[in-house]
Amino acid sequence: MDTKNQFTVFCICIAVGLLGGILYEPFAFLRMIFGCPRGKSRPVGIALDIAFFAAFTVCTVFAGYLFRFPDFRVYMWIGYALGGIIYLKSLHRIVAFFGNVCYNKITKLAKKARKREKTLKKEVEKRV
């Protein structure tokens, strides 16, 4: 394999690493829902991590088959890791920002709904 093809494979591996970062977001959301913060070894958190790595493995094998990668090369794993780091330092911040905005809007709407419900209950009690 010449160096031109190695560089192309390396760039594709970076893109697959970015895809892996995007793929992790639903798993991180599920960890948050089930109350499995990082650093605590809960069975659900471990199961979600295993599921993520299985899904990422499927992505890497599919990319290797689709683009006809050569046999195992260390630079490919470096590309996957570099893509994940690039995702964490750039796109993850954007996704987290929009996630916070959506969360804040949903909680604000829920508070308004609770307040309306309380006022309606008070009005019904006054009428009775």
Side-chain angles (χ1 to χ4, degrees), residues 6 11 25 40 52 58 68-69 73 82 99 118 127:
Q6 288 180 352
C11 290
E25 288 299 324
K40 294 187 178 183
F52 162 71
V58 168
R68 297 185 181 145
F69 287 171
R73 303 278 193 252
L82 185 61
K118 286 181 182 179
R127 291 183 185 176

Side-chain angles (χ1 to χ4, degrees), residues 46-117:
I46 292 170
L48 288 172
D49 286 343
I50 291 171
F52 162 71
F53 282 112
F56 185 65
T57 301
V58 168
C59 287
T60 57
V61 170
F62 180 72
Y65 176 75
L66 184 66
F67 296 109
R68 297 185 181 145
F69 287 171
D71 293 337
F72 172 75
R73 303 278 193 252
V74 175
Y75 69 85
M76 294 167 69
W77 292 103
I78 293 170
Y80 297 140
L82 185 61
I85 291 169
I86 290 171
Y87 173 77
L88 284 175
K89 297 297 180 182
S90 60
L91 291 176
H92 176 70
R93 293 180 182 190
I94 296 169
V95 171
F97 172 76
F98 284 117
N100 286 336
V101 168
C102 291
Y103 174 78
N104 291 336
K105 287 190 179 201
I106 289 171
T107 55
K108 192 175 183 180
L109 289 172
K111 285 180 183 179
K112 283 183 181 181
R114 283 188 215 126
K115 188 177 179 180
R116 286 181 190 161
E117 185 179 327

Side-chain angles (χ1 to χ4, degrees), residues 26-45:
F27 291 100
F29 182 70
L30 289 173
R31 286 179 70 96
M32 184 179 67
I33 287 174
F34 290 117
C36 304
R38 291 183 186 148
K40 294 187 178 183
S41 58
R42 295 189 179 180
V44 175

Side-chain angles (χ1 to χ4, degrees), residues 9-26:
V9 169
F10 182 70
C11 290
I12 293 170
C13 288
I14 290 173
V16 171
L18 282 167
L19 176 68
I22 294 169
L23 181 66
Y24 185 71
E25 288 299 324

